[in-house]
Amino acid sequence: MLLKIQDGTLSAGSKTVLSHFDFEIRGKEKIALIGKNGAGKTTFLRLLAGELSLDRDDKRTSAGITTSRKLTIGLLSQQAFEDLSITVEQALLDVCPCPDPFDRARFDWEQEYDRIFTGFGFRREDKKKQLMHFSGGEQTRIALIRLLLLKPDLLLLDEPTNTWILRRWNGWKSIFAPVLPPRSSCPTTGFSWTVQQILSTSSANRP
């Protein structure tokens, strides 16, 4: 068990999104989360990312959310970057753990950075371009590269529409969940994904 929610209730403002639900991620599972508009898919991801908390419930006997260890979590949201005037290099170096450019660890990190960046179909010279010169899909790929460089334990993808991304990283050890728009064909064919249904509060309790 990597993460477990027991008897959780989640609200957004005055609206209860999910009521008394259970959810579990087992180790290296990859999960596709499916639900209609308004079912709480993005809100649920924000809960997993730590941006929201479960509602306080004095009747709940369980701990609510438990993890097997301290987790690092990366969320790829629908809006990848707020400032599009910075260069790709600025955006990616912002997550570099080695500020000293002469450090050996910094050299190794930049080698990995180049490998992942070109592996996503970019040229090395593209790093000098401002983000505004890339399409929305390319910006999403750059944001995903930034998350992968952070090596999160749990990677959350909010409605990825590019199945190339899913195929490219099907082997990534900690990918969690593409959240799929309603009535879309699930792009999990040929992938090692577990499909879970997230339900509205008017339906059954389990997501």
PDB file of all heavy atoms in Angstrom, residues 3 8 11 18 21-22 30 35 38 49 62 75 77 86 109 123 131-132 135 145 154 158 162 166 180 188:
ATOM      1  N   LEU A   3      -0.688   4.526  -0.694  1.00  0.00           N
ATOM      2  CA  LEU A   3      -1.569   5.551  -0.131  1.00  0.00           C
ATOM      3  C   LEU A   3      -2.965   4.961   0.011  1.00  0.00           C
ATOM      4  O   LEU A   3      -3.430   4.228  -0.873  1.00  0.00           O
ATOM      5  CB  LEU A   3      -1.602   6.779  -1.038  1.00  0.00           C
ATOM      6  CG  LEU A   3      -2.483   7.964  -0.617  1.00  0.00           C
ATOM      7  CD1 LEU A   3      -1.846   9.281  -1.068  1.00  0.00           C
ATOM      8  CD2 LEU A   3      -3.886   7.862  -1.217  1.00  0.00           C
ATOM      9  N   GLY A   8     -13.450   8.708   3.599  1.00  0.00           N
ATOM     10  CA  GLY A   8     -13.167  10.128   3.410  1.00  0.00           C
ATOM     11  C   GLY A   8     -14.341  10.881   2.803  1.00  0.00           C
ATOM     12  O   GLY A   8     -15.119  10.324   2.027  1.00  0.00           O
ATOM     13  N   SER A  11     -15.012  18.053   0.007  1.00  0.00           N
ATOM     14  CA  SER A  11     -15.886  19.129  -0.449  1.00  0.00           C
ATOM     15  C   SER A  11     -15.086  20.194  -1.177  1.00  0.00           C
ATOM     16  O   SER A  11     -13.885  20.363  -0.939  1.00  0.00           O
ATOM     17  CB  SER A  11     -16.623  19.778   0.737  1.00  0.00           C
ATOM     18  OG  SER A  11     -17.456  18.844   1.389  1.00  0.00           O
ATOM     19  N   LEU A  18     -17.293  14.179  -2.868  1.00  0.00           N
ATOM     20  CA  LEU A  18     -17.282  12.742  -2.607  1.00  0.00           C
ATOM     21  C   LEU A  18     -17.598  12.529  -1.134  1.00  0.00           C
ATOM     22  O   LEU A  18     -17.075  13.228  -0.269  1.00  0.00           O
ATOM     23  CB  LEU A  18     -15.916  12.144  -2.936  1.00  0.00           C
ATOM     24  CG  LEU A  18     -15.516  12.153  -4.414  1.00  0.00           C
ATOM     25  CD1 LEU A  18     -14.026  11.854  -4.561  1.00  0.00           C
ATOM     26  CD2 LEU A  18     -16.331  11.136  -5.194  1.00  0.00           C
ATOM     27  N   PHE A  21     -15.963   7.824   1.098  1.00  0.00           N
ATOM     28  CA  PHE A  21     -15.416   6.939   0.073  1.00  0.00           C
ATOM     29  C   PHE A  21     -14.091   6.334   0.538  1.00  0.00           C
ATOM     30  O   PHE A  21     -13.419   6.873   1.423  1.00  0.00           O
ATOM     31  CB  PHE A  21     -15.201   7.699  -1.242  1.00  0.00           C
ATOM     32  CG  PHE A  21     -14.096   8.726  -1.193  1.00  0.00           C
ATOM     33  CD1 PHE A  21     -12.821   8.412  -1.631  1.00  0.00           C
ATOM     34  CD2 PHE A  21     -14.332  10.002  -0.700  1.00  0.00           C
ATOM     35  CE1 PHE A  21     -11.794   9.358  -1.586  1.00  0.00           C
ATOM     36  CE2 PHE A  21     -13.316  10.949  -0.651  1.00  0.00           C
ATOM     37  CZ  PHE A  21     -12.042  10.622  -1.089  1.00  0.00           C
ATOM     38  N   ASP A  22     -13.745   5.196  -0.080  1.00  0.00           N
ATOM     39  CA  ASP A  22     -12.472   4.521   0.156  1.00  0.00           C
ATOM     40  C   ASP A  22     -11.675   4.527  -1.142  1.00  0.00           C
ATOM     41  O   ASP A  22     -12.244   4.458  -2.232  1.00  0.00           O
ATOM     42  CB  ASP A  22     -12.680   3.071   0.598  1.00  0.00           C
ATOM     43  CG  ASP A  22     -13.438   2.970   1.905  1.00  0.00           C
ATOM     44  OD1 ASP A  22     -13.314   3.876   2.749  1.00  0.00           O
ATOM     45  OD2 ASP A  22     -14.174   1.977   2.077  1.00  0.00           O
ATOM     46  N   LYS A  30      -0.626   1.939 -11.858  1.00  0.00           N
ATOM     47  CA  LYS A  30      -0.985   3.058 -12.733  1.00  0.00           C
ATOM     48  C   LYS A  30      -2.498   3.046 -12.840  1.00  0.00           C
ATOM     49  O   LYS A  30      -3.089   2.040 -13.206  1.00  0.00           O
ATOM     50  CB  LYS A  30      -0.335   2.907 -14.108  1.00  0.00           C
ATOM     51  CG  LYS A  30       1.192   2.864 -14.057  1.00  0.00           C
ATOM     52  CD  LYS A  30       1.754   2.653 -15.442  1.00  0.00           C
ATOM     53  CE  LYS A  30       3.274   2.621 -15.399  1.00  0.00           C
ATOM     54  NZ  LYS A  30       3.774   1.409 -14.708  1.00  0.00           N
ATOM     55  N   GLY A  35     -14.648   9.779 -14.863  1.00  0.00           N
ATOM     56  CA  GLY A  35     -15.888  10.307 -14.286  1.00  0.00           C
ATOM     57  C   GLY A  35     -16.462  11.409 -15.140  1.00  0.00           C
ATOM     58  O   GLY A  35     -15.756  12.046 -15.913  1.00  0.00           O
ATOM     59  N   GLY A  38     -17.969  17.343 -13.368  1.00  0.00           N
ATOM     60  CA  GLY A  38     -18.511  17.674 -12.058  1.00  0.00           C
ATOM     61  C   GLY A  38     -18.443  16.551 -11.047  1.00  0.00           C
ATOM     62  O   GLY A  38     -18.874  16.718  -9.904  1.00  0.00           O
ATOM     63  N   ALA A  49      -2.613  15.659  -4.184  1.00  0.00           N
ATOM     64  CA  ALA A  49      -1.430  16.517  -4.285  1.00  0.00           C
ATOM     65  C   ALA A  49      -1.185  17.321  -3.015  1.00  0.00           C
ATOM     66  O   ALA A  49      -0.166  18.001  -2.899  1.00  0.00           O
ATOM     67  CB  ALA A  49      -1.580  17.461  -5.475  1.00  0.00           C
ATOM     68  N   SER A  62     -11.295   6.058  11.300  1.00  0.00           N
ATOM     69  CA  SER A  62     -10.010   5.844  10.644  1.00  0.00           C
ATOM     70  C   SER A  62      -9.227   7.147  10.581  1.00  0.00           C
ATOM     71  O   SER A  62      -9.727   8.222  10.910  1.00  0.00           O
ATOM     72  CB  SER A  62     -10.207   5.300   9.230  1.00  0.00           C
ATOM     73  OG  SER A  62     -10.837   6.267   8.422  1.00  0.00           O
ATOM     74  N   LEU A  75       1.995  17.136  -9.571  1.00  0.00           N
ATOM     75  CA  LEU A  75       0.717  17.279 -10.267  1.00  0.00           C
ATOM     76  C   LEU A  75       0.921  18.040 -11.562  1.00  0.00           C
ATOM     77  O   LEU A  75       1.384  19.181 -11.553  1.00  0.00           O
ATOM     78  CB  LEU A  75      -0.298  18.014  -9.378  1.00  0.00           C
ATOM     79  CG  LEU A  75      -1.627  18.419 -10.031  1.00  0.00           C
ATOM     80  CD1 LEU A  75      -2.382  17.195 -10.532  1.00  0.00           C
ATOM     81  CD2 LEU A  75      -2.483  19.223  -9.055  1.00  0.00           C
ATOM     82  N   SER A  77      -0.975  19.881 -14.086  1.00  0.00           N
ATOM     83  CA  SER A  77      -2.305  20.469 -14.230  1.00  0.00           C
ATOM     84  C   SER A  77      -2.573  20.873 -15.668  1.00  0.00           C
ATOM     85  O   SER A  77      -1.698  20.822 -16.525  1.00  0.00           O
ATOM     86  CB  SER A  77      -2.437  21.690 -13.307  1.00  0.00           C
ATOM     87  OG  SER A  77      -1.470  22.670 -13.652  1.00  0.00           O
ATOM     88  N   ILE A  86       9.440  33.273 -19.675  1.00  0.00           N
ATOM     89  CA  ILE A  86      10.725  32.676 -19.323  1.00  0.00           C
ATOM     90  C   ILE A  86      11.099  31.621 -20.363  1.00  0.00           C
ATOM     91  O   ILE A  86      10.250  31.135 -21.122  1.00  0.00           O
ATOM     92  CB  ILE A  86      10.692  32.039 -17.921  1.00  0.00           C
ATOM     93  CG1 ILE A  86       9.671  30.897 -17.871  1.00  0.00           C
ATOM     94  CG2 ILE A  86      10.391  33.083 -16.869  1.00  0.00           C
ATOM     95  CD1 ILE A  86       9.690  30.131 -16.559  1.00  0.00           C
ATOM     96  N   TRP A 109      22.983  15.861 -13.263  1.00  0.00           N
ATOM     97  CA  TRP A 109      21.580  16.279 -13.392  1.00  0.00           C
ATOM     98  C   TRP A 109      21.327  16.841 -14.788  1.00  0.00           C
ATOM     99  O   TRP A 109      20.296  16.550 -15.403  1.00  0.00           O
ATOM    100  CB  TRP A 109      21.251  17.324 -12.325  1.00  0.00           C
ATOM    101  CG  TRP A 109      19.810  17.731 -12.300  1.00  0.00           C
ATOM    102  CD1 TRP A 109      18.798  17.150 -11.578  1.00  0.00           C
ATOM    103  CD2 TRP A 109      19.204  18.808 -13.028  1.00  0.00           C
ATOM    104  NE1 TRP A 109      17.613  17.796 -11.808  1.00  0.00           N
ATOM    105  CE2 TRP A 109      17.832  18.823 -12.697  1.00  0.00           C
ATOM    106  CE3 TRP A 109      19.691  19.763 -13.921  1.00  0.00           C
ATOM    107  CZ2 TRP A 109      16.939  19.750 -13.227  1.00  0.00           C
ATOM    108  CZ3 TRP A 109      18.804  20.684 -14.456  1.00  0.00           C
ATOM    109  CH2 TRP A 109      17.451  20.678 -14.118  1.00  0.00           C
ATOM    110  N   ARG A 123      14.725  19.568 -29.487  1.00  0.00           N
ATOM    111  CA  ARG A 123      16.138  19.737 -29.797  1.00  0.00           C
ATOM    112  C   ARG A 123      16.817  20.480 -28.648  1.00  0.00           C
ATOM    113  O   ARG A 123      16.171  21.253 -27.949  1.00  0.00           O
ATOM    114  CB  ARG A 123      16.310  20.526 -31.096  1.00  0.00           C
ATOM    115  CG  ARG A 123      15.668  19.877 -32.325  1.00  0.00           C
ATOM    116  CD  ARG A 123      15.674  20.828 -33.501  1.00  0.00           C
ATOM    117  NE  ARG A 123      14.935  22.055 -33.180  1.00  0.00           N
ATOM    118  CZ  ARG A 123      14.885  23.123 -33.974  1.00  0.00           C
ATOM    119  NH1 ARG A 123      15.555  23.133 -35.126  1.00  0.00           N
ATOM    120  NH2 ARG A 123      14.191  24.189 -33.618  1.00  0.00           N
ATOM    121  N   LEU A 131       8.853  30.092 -23.437  1.00  0.00           N
ATOM    122  CA  LEU A 131       7.732  29.157 -23.433  1.00  0.00           C
ATOM    123  C   LEU A 131       6.602  29.593 -24.356  1.00  0.00           C
ATOM    124  O   LEU A 131       5.884  28.755 -24.908  1.00  0.00           O
ATOM    125  CB  LEU A 131       7.201  29.003 -21.998  1.00  0.00           C
ATOM    126  CG  LEU A 131       8.127  28.286 -21.019  1.00  0.00           C
ATOM    127  CD1 LEU A 131       7.605  28.429 -19.599  1.00  0.00           C
ATOM    128  CD2 LEU A 131       8.275  26.821 -21.387  1.00  0.00           C
ATOM    129  N   MET A 132       6.452  30.894 -24.546  1.00  0.00           N
ATOM    130  CA  MET A 132       5.365  31.406 -25.379  1.00  0.00           C
ATOM    131  C   MET A 132       5.484  30.953 -26.842  1.00  0.00           C
ATOM    132  O   MET A 132       4.515  31.028 -27.596  1.00  0.00           O
ATOM    133  CB  MET A 132       5.320  32.941 -25.308  1.00  0.00           C
ATOM    134  CG  MET A 132       6.540  33.620 -25.920  1.00  0.00           C
ATOM    135  SD  MET A 132       6.418  35.437 -25.866  1.00  0.00           S
ATOM    136  CE  MET A 132       6.490  35.757 -24.105  1.00  0.00           C
ATOM    137  N   SER A 135       3.621  25.396 -28.555  1.00  0.00           N
ATOM    138  CA  SER A 135       2.189  25.141 -28.531  1.00  0.00           C
ATOM    139  C   SER A 135       1.767  24.679 -27.140  1.00  0.00           C
ATOM    140  O   SER A 135       2.611  24.346 -26.289  1.00  0.00           O
ATOM    141  CB  SER A 135       1.818  24.061 -29.549  1.00  0.00           C
ATOM    142  OG  SER A 135       2.354  22.804 -29.152  1.00  0.00           O
ATOM    143  N   ILE A 145       8.296  17.147 -18.200  1.00  0.00           N
ATOM    144  CA  ILE A 145       9.744  16.947 -18.047  1.00  0.00           C
ATOM    145  C   ILE A 145      10.207  17.519 -16.708  1.00  0.00           C
ATOM    146  O   ILE A 145      10.997  16.903 -15.985  1.00  0.00           O
ATOM    147  CB  ILE A 145      10.502  17.618 -19.214  1.00  0.00           C
ATOM    148  CG1 ILE A 145      10.218  16.877 -20.528  1.00  0.00           C
ATOM    149  CG2 ILE A 145      12.003  17.660 -18.939  1.00  0.00           C
ATOM    150  CD1 ILE A 145      10.693  17.619 -21.761  1.00  0.00           C
ATOM    151  N   LEU A 154       4.757   9.931  -6.686  1.00  0.00           N
ATOM    152  CA  LEU A 154       3.420   9.816  -7.256  1.00  0.00           C
ATOM    153  C   LEU A 154       3.238  10.925  -8.280  1.00  0.00           C
ATOM    154  O   LEU A 154       3.411  12.099  -7.966  1.00  0.00           O
ATOM    155  CB  LEU A 154       2.380   9.966  -6.131  1.00  0.00           C
ATOM    156  CG  LEU A 154       0.939   9.568  -6.405  1.00  0.00           C
ATOM    157  CD1 LEU A 154       0.834   8.137  -6.884  1.00  0.00           C
ATOM    158  CD2 LEU A 154       0.117   9.770  -5.146  1.00  0.00           C
ATOM    159  N   ASP A 158      -3.586  15.548 -14.983  1.00  0.00           N
ATOM    160  CA  ASP A 158      -4.963  16.035 -15.047  1.00  0.00           C
ATOM    161  C   ASP A 158      -5.421  16.108 -16.495  1.00  0.00           C
ATOM    162  O   ASP A 158      -5.036  17.007 -17.236  1.00  0.00           O
ATOM    163  CB  ASP A 158      -5.054  17.414 -14.381  1.00  0.00           C
ATOM    164  CG  ASP A 158      -6.494  17.836 -14.136  1.00  0.00           C
ATOM    165  OD1 ASP A 158      -7.404  17.105 -14.553  1.00  0.00           O
ATOM    166  OD2 ASP A 158      -6.702  18.906 -13.533  1.00  0.00           O
ATOM    167  N   ASN A 162      -2.862  13.773 -24.774  1.00  0.00           N
ATOM    168  CA  ASN A 162      -1.835  13.291 -25.679  1.00  0.00           C
ATOM    169  C   ASN A 162      -1.441  11.869 -25.283  1.00  0.00           C
ATOM    170  O   ASN A 162      -0.711  11.654 -24.325  1.00  0.00           O
ATOM    171  CB  ASN A 162      -0.603  14.206 -25.614  1.00  0.00           C
ATOM    172  CG  ASN A 162       0.398  13.898 -26.711  1.00  0.00           C
ATOM    173  OD1 ASN A 162       0.464  12.786 -27.203  1.00  0.00           O
ATOM    174  ND2 ASN A 162       1.171  14.910 -27.077  1.00  0.00           N
ATOM    175  N   LEU A 166       1.449   9.198 -22.636  1.00  0.00           N
ATOM    176  CA  LEU A 166       1.182   8.004 -21.855  1.00  0.00           C
ATOM    177  C   LEU A 166       2.024   6.830 -22.339  1.00  0.00           C
ATOM    178  O   LEU A 166       2.546   6.051 -21.558  1.00  0.00           O
ATOM    179  CB  LEU A 166      -0.312   7.657 -21.932  1.00  0.00           C
ATOM    180  CG  LEU A 166      -1.280   8.748 -21.460  1.00  0.00           C
ATOM    181  CD1 LEU A 166      -2.706   8.229 -21.528  1.00  0.00           C
ATOM    182  CD2 LEU A 166      -0.955   9.199 -20.046  1.00  0.00           C
ATOM    183  N   LEU A 180      -9.604  11.254 -17.150  1.00  0.00           N
ATOM    184  CA  LEU A 180     -10.132  11.274 -18.508  1.00  0.00           C
ATOM    185  C   LEU A 180     -11.424  12.065 -18.594  1.00  0.00           C
ATOM    186  O   LEU A 180     -12.280  11.976 -17.717  1.00  0.00           O
ATOM    187  CB  LEU A 180     -10.391   9.836 -18.964  1.00  0.00           C
ATOM    188  CG  LEU A 180      -9.172   8.920 -18.848  1.00  0.00           C
ATOM    189  CD1 LEU A 180      -9.564   7.499 -19.197  1.00  0.00           C
ATOM    190  CD2 LEU A 180      -8.069   9.398 -19.749  1.00  0.00           C
ATOM    191  N   THR A 188      -6.110   3.613 -22.381  1.00  0.00           N
ATOM    192  CA  THR A 188      -5.319   2.677 -21.606  1.00  0.00           C
ATOM    193  C   THR A 188      -5.103   1.374 -22.362  1.00  0.00           C
ATOM    194  O   THR A 188      -4.443   0.488 -21.858  1.00  0.00           O
ATOM    195  CB  THR A 188      -6.006   2.379 -20.259  1.00  0.00           C
ATOM    196  OG1 THR A 188      -7.322   1.894 -20.518  1.00  0.00           O
ATOM    197  CG2 THR A 188      -6.095   3.637 -19.412  1.00  0.00           C
TER     198      THR A 188
END
